[in-house]
C-alpha cells in the first residue's frame, strides 16, 4: 500500500480523494496554483506544493511541475481526479516512466479511448453496438454530404478529439450541413488542436445512461450499476440519478455485460465509465471516460462501494474487494451540480466571495464541496461549488429529500443555479421519470426558474431568507434602540452595562 499520494487536482474532487486517503491512512499532497493558495483542498492535505500561476495551463496541467512536486515530496502515486490531466495519456506515460503509480488505467487504455473515432473502431471490432455513423474522420464537405444522406437526417457532427460537448453540431437538414461542418472543424481546431470531425445519426428521444466499471490488475472487471444523466443543458450534465428510471434487471444485465466487454477490449483497470445513448428501446456505445466521473457519488450511495478508495487499492495491486454477484442496489440517489452561475443570465459564471455558506445536511444527504464562508471562487476554473446528493429508499423519497436540502442550503455572495434544480425537481414529467436529453428545452424549465426565483425572493421561502429576515429585524431593533438612547442622552456604554 502507498504511504503518500499526490492529488493532481483542485476543489471538491481533490478533497474527495483526500478523504479516501485519510480513511486508508495514506498521507496526502496537494498541488495548488496562485488562485488556490487559500482553497480548502490545499489546507486539507498533509502537505501542499505551489505549482504555478492561476491559469491551469501554467499549473494544473503542467506535467513537469506536477511530476517534480511528486518527487520533491516523495509521493509514490498520483491521483488525477477528473479533468486537467486525468485523461492525458502523455501524463500517465510520464508517471509510468518515472516510477510513479498513476491511479487510473494504463496510458495505452487512455489512448484507446482518447479519440472518439478510435474508440468507435475498437468497440465495433469488439462487438459493442455503436451509434450508427462513420468510424473515420471526414475532411471534405462533399464527402460529409454523401455520408449524411446515407445516414439520414438529423445527424450530429463531432470533433474526434472532443469533450465537454464542445464543437458538436446537430444538423436537421441537408441545406445546413456545409456551414455546420466548417464551423465544427474550426472549433475542433481551435479548442482541441485537431480539426478531425466525424458524423453520427442524431438519435430520437435520447437518454444518456452510463455504466460504472471497476477493474483490477488480476482480470476481474465488474459493472457497478448505472447512472442516468439525461438532464443536460448544452450537452452538459446538471442532474444525475442512479439507478435509471427505465432500468429493468434484464436490461441492466445486458448493458452491464456490454460495458464490461468494452472495458476488457482495452485491457481496462481502475474506475471507468462506459456511456451509452438509449433511444426507443435500443442502446449504443457513446464513449468511455477513463477516470472517476463527477457524478460517481450517486453510485457510491446506492451500492455502498467507495469508488475512490477502490481505485487506490486496485492501483496498489490489490484485488477488487467484491464480485459482480456481491454488488446490490439499495434505494435511489440524485445529484444536483450546484454551480456559481446565474440561470437567469444564460447561466453566466458568477465567481466571487461566498458571504455566507451553510451546507445542507440531515438524513440521506451528502455534500461534496471544496468551499467555506469567505472563500473566493476564482474565475479561472469550472464554476462547481458543490455536488449535492440525496439518497432515499426510492426515487420519490430521493426527490423530496433533495428539495428539502435545496431549501436549507445557504449560499450567498454569488449567484447559484439552485432555483434551476428546484424547477426540475418540481416538474411533473421529471417526477414521472419520463426524461430525455431535450427535457430542459421541451419543458421550458427556464420559465419556471424565473418564476421560482421571483417567488422565493418575494415570499422568503428559503432558510436563508428566514435567517436574513431575523438579522434584518435585529438591525432594525438596534437602530431604534440607538435612536432612543440618543434622544434621552444616555451613553450607549451605560445601556450596555445595564
Ligand atoms: P462529449 O465527449 O463532448 O461530452 P458525447 O459524445 O459524450 O460528447 O455527447 C454528449 C451528449 O451529447 C450526450 O450525453 C447527448 O446528450 C448528446 N449526444 C451525443 N451524441 C448523440 C447522438 N448521436 N444522438 C443524440 N444525442 C447525442
Amino acid at each position: 500500500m502507498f504511504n503518500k499520494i499526490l492529488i493532481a487536482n483542485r476543489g471538491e474532487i481533490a478533497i474527495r480523494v483526500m478523504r479516501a486517503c485519510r480513511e486508508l491512512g495514506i498521507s496526502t499532497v496537494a498541488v495548488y496554483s496562485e488562485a488556490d493558495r487559500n482553497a480548502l483542498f490545499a489546507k486539507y492535505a498533509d502537505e501542499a506544493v505551489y505549482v504555478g500561476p492561476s491559469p491551469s495551463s501554467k499549473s494544473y496541467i503542467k506535467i513537469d511541475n506536477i511530476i517534480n512536486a511528486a518527487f520533491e515530496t516523495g509521493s509514490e502515486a498520483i491521483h488525477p481526479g477528473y479533468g486537467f490531466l486525468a485523461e492525458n495519456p502523455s501524463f500517465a506515460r510520464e508517471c509510468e516512466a518515472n516510477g510513479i503509480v498513476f491511479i487510473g488505467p494504463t496510458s495505452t487504455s487512455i489512448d484507446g479511448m482518447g479519440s472518439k473515432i478510435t474508440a468507435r473502431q475498437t468497440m465495433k471490432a469488439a462487438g459493442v453496438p455503436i451509434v450508427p455513423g462513420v468510424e473515420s474522420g471526414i475532411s471534405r464537405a462533399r464527402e460529409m454530404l454523401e455520408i449524411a444522406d446515407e445516414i439520414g437526417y438529423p445527424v450530429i457532427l463531432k470533433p474526434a478529439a472532443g469533450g465537454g460537448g464542445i464543437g458538436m453540431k446537430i444538423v436537421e437538414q441537408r441545406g445546413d450541413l456545409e456551414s455546420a461542418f466548417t464551423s465544427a472543424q474550426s472549433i475542433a481546431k481551435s479548442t482541441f488542436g485537431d480539426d478531425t470531425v466525424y458524423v453520427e445519426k442524431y438519435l430520437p428521444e435520447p437518454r444518456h445512461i452510463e455504466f460504472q466499471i471497476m477493474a483490477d490488475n488480476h482480470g476481474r472487471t465488474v459493472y457497478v450499476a448505472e447512472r442516468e444523466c439525461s438532464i443536460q443543458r448544452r450537452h452538459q450534465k446538471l442532474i444525475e440519478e442512479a439507478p435509471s428510471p427505465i432500468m429493468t434487471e434484464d436490461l441492466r444485465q445486458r448493458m452491464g455485460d456490454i460495458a464490461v466487454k468494452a472495458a476488457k477490449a482495452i485491457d481496462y483497470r481502475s474506475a471507468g465509465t462506459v456511456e451509452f445513448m438509449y433511444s426507443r428501446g435500443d442502446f449504443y456505445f457513446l464513449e468511455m471516460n477513463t477516470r472517476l466521473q463527477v457524478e460517481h457519488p450517486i453510485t457510491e450511495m446506492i451500492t455502498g462501494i467507495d469508488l475512490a478508495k477502490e481505485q487506490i487499492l486496485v492501483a496498489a495491486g490489490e484485488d477488487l474487494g467484491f464480485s459482480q454477484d456481491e454488488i446490490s442496489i439499495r434505494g435511489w440517489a440524485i445529484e444536483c451540480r450546484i454551480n456559481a452561475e446565474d440561470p437567469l443570465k444564460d447561466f453566466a459564471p458568477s465567481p466571487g466571495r461566498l458571504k455566507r455558506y451553510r451546507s445542507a445536511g440531515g438524513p440521506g444527504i451528502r455534500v461534496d464541496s471544496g468551499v467555506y464562508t469567505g472563500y473566493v471562487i476564482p474565475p479561472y476554473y469550472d464554476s462547481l461549488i458543490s455536488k449535492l446528493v440525496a439518497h432515499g429508499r426510492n426515487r420519490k423519497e430521493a426527490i423530496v429529500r433533495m428539495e428539502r436540502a435545496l431549501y436549507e442550503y445557504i449560499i450567498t455572495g454569488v449567484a447559484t443555479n439552485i432555483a434551476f434544480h428546484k424547477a426540475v425537481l418540481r416538474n411533473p414529467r421529471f417526477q414521472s421519470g419520463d426524461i430525455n436529453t431535450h427535457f430542459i428545452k421541451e419543458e421550458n424549465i427556464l420559465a419556471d426558474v424565473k418564476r421560482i426565483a421571483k417567488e422565493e425572493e418575494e415570499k422568503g421561502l428559503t432558510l436563508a431568507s428566514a435567517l436574513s429576515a431575523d438579522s434584518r429585524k435585529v438591525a432594525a431593533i438596534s437602530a431604534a434602540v440607538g435612536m432612543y438612547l440618543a434622544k434621552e442622552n444616555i451613553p450607549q456604554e451605560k445601556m450596555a452595562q445595564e
Side-chain angles (χ1 to χ4, degrees):
M1 183 44 61
F2 309 116
N3 292 309
K4 200 188 263 189
I5 293 178
L6 181 143
I7 294 92
N9 215 303
R10 63 179 301 283
E12 69 84 18
I13 192 62
I15 290 184
R16 167 69 192 95
V17 175
M18 290 174 198
R19 282 179 164 155
C21 292
R22 263 188 185 268
E23 290 180 22
L24 289 167
I26 299 170
S27 307
T28 52
V29 178
V31 290
Y32 64 93
S33 70
E34 185 60 44
D36 279 337
R37 251 176 218 291
N38 293 317
L40 188 62
F41 75 92
K43 310 284 177 199
Y44 189 105
D46 298 309
E47 289 168 74
V49 181
Y50 173 76
V51 284
S54 307
S56 51
S57 60
K58 295 192 169 136
S59 46
Y60 294 114
I61 60 173
K62 257 193 123 42
I63 295 181
D64 287 350
N65 295 15
I66 305 291
I67 298 276
N68 282 341
F71 275 132
E72 248 172 59
T73 52
S75 304
E76 303 143 88
I78 298 184
H79 194 300
Y82 54 69
F84 296 141
L85 296 169
E87 288 176 292
N88 182 328
S90 312
F91 179 61
R93 247 189 308 276
E94 206 54 33
C95 291
E96 288 159 12
N98 283 288
I100 298 167
V101 177
F102 176 80
I103 302 178
T106 60
S107 55
T108 320
S109 298
I110 301 176
D111 253 335
M113 289 293 175
S115 153
K116 289 185 198 260
I117 291 177
T118 323
R120 282 169 67 78
Q121 291 164 349
T122 314
M123 291 301 110
K124 198 174 178 187
V128 171
I130 57 176
V131 182
V134 290
E135 287 89 64
S136 57
I138 296 171
S139 50
R140 289 204 196 83
R142 257 191 70 180
E143 194 191 347
M144 185 58 101
L145 273 169
E146 278 168 25
I147 290 168
D149 282 346
E150 243 170 70
I151 297 173
Y153 291 89
V155 294
I156 181 166
L157 310 184
K158 292 187 180 183
I166 300 164
M168 297 198 307
K169 299 271 172 199
I170 298 158
V171 183
E172 300 283 349
Q173 55 202 20
R174 197 169 203 270
D176 301 334
L177 189 74
E178 274 197 65
S179 65
F181 180 53
T182 319
S183 145
Q185 274 185 322
S186 87
I187 296 174
K189 179 83 194 163
S190 61
T191 318
F192 308 111
D194 173 358
D195 70 355
T196 313
V197 168
Y198 74 103
V199 60
E200 280 175 16
K201 172 95 191 145
Y202 191 66
L203 298 164
E205 294 161 33
R207 298 180 76 126
H208 177 119
I209 298 176
E210 58 185 35
F211 274 70
Q212 177 67 52
I213 292 294
M214 265 316 305
D216 63 18
N217 279 326
H218 310 284
R220 182 178 269 182
T221 307
V222 298
Y223 59 90
V224 192
E226 77 284 354
R227 296 182 285 262
E228 168 132 18
C229 315
S230 297
I231 303 298
Q232 303 180 349
R233 187 182 155 268
R234 298 199 178 144
H235 308 301
Q236 293 277 25
K237 302 162 186 169
L238 280 164
I239 299 181
E240 303 96 344
E241 61 183 296
S244 159
I246 55 150
M247 201 47 69
T248 60
E249 255 326 303
D250 171 61
L251 182 61
R252 178 174 295 123
Q253 201 175 332
R254 278 193 293 136
M255 291 181 81
D257 285 345
I258 296 271
V260 166
K261 201 172 177 180
K264 284 192 166 163
I266 55 161
D267 274 332
Y268 202 77
R269 64 149 204 240
S270 190
T273 296
V274 179
E275 297 189 338
F276 293 102
M277 287 269 94
Y278 175 95
S279 170
R280 298 183 176 163
D282 290 315
F283 63 90
Y284 310 91
F285 170 86
L286 185 64
E287 66 168 350
M288 179 165 183
N289 290 316
T290 54
R291 55 170 160 86
L292 198 63
Q293 302 264 107
V294 174
E295 59 272 24
H296 77 274
I298 51 176
T299 302
E300 297 185 323
M301 297 296 265
I302 61 161
T303 61
I305 293 171
D306 186 321
L307 293 166
K309 232 189 240 176
E310 290 298 331
Q311 261 191 315
I312 295 169
L313 295 172
V314 163
E318 295 198 10
D319 286 338
L320 210 51
F322 46 88
S323 66
Q324 189 67 62
D325 293 343
E326 286 167 329
I327 301 167
S328 60
I329 296 176
R330 222 186 102 251
W332 211 281
I334 301 179
E335 172 180 279
C336 288
R337 298 191 188 193
I338 309 294
N339 295 331
E341 60 186 21
D342 191 344
L344 302 181
K345 290 187 186 141
D346 199 26
F347 291 82
S350 172
R353 186 178 297 278
L354 294 177
K355 279 199 202 134
R356 188 165 199 179
Y357 180 83
R358 186 184 182 276
S359 185
I365 299 299
R366 164 173 170 179
V367 183
D368 281 24
S369 86
V371 303
Y372 53 86
T373 295
Y375 172 71
V376 179
I377 299 172
Y380 303 98
Y381 316 108
D382 66 30
S383 57
L384 189 68
I385 297 175
S386 74
K387 303 184 310 202
L388 180 61
V389 181
H391 183 228
R393 275 170 308 169
N394 49 42
R395 191 167 186 269
K396 193 160 177 230
E397 189 173 58
I399 292 176
V400 293
R401 281 212 161 129
M402 182 62 89
E403 277 215 65
R404 185 265 294 163
L406 290 170
Y407 157 78
E408 66 191 44
Y409 207 165
I410 301 177
I411 306 172
T412 65
V414 300
T416 76
N417 59 351
I418 286 181
F420 168 86
H421 291 300
K422 287 179 179 165
V424 174
L425 291 166
R426 290 174 198 172
N427 179 288
R429 202 180 127 196
F430 175 80
Q431 290 172 357
S432 77
D434 172 24
I435 50 176
N436 65 50
T437 59
H438 303 302
F439 175 85
I440 305 286
K441 244 194 212 149
E442 284 174 0
E443 291 297 304
N444 195 10
I445 290 295
L446 288 188
D448 296 341
V449 176
K450 276 193 191 123
R451 185 177 42 76
I452 289 172
K454 191 162 169 261
E455 235 174 53
E456 295 204 330
E457 197 178 325
E458 281 169 5
K459 298 186 188 155
L461 296 176
T462 60
L463 186 57
S465 49
L467 283 171
S468 64
D470 268 356
S471 60
R472 273 201 301 274
K473 247 185 254 161
V474 170
I477 291 168
S478 58
V481 169
M483 268 163 61
Y484 166 78
L485 296 177
K487 203 171 127 217
E488 301 293 317
N489 258 333
I490 307 172
Q492 296 238 3
E493 305 81 68
K494 182 154 190 289
M495 187 68 186
Q497 280 159 21
E498 283 164 8

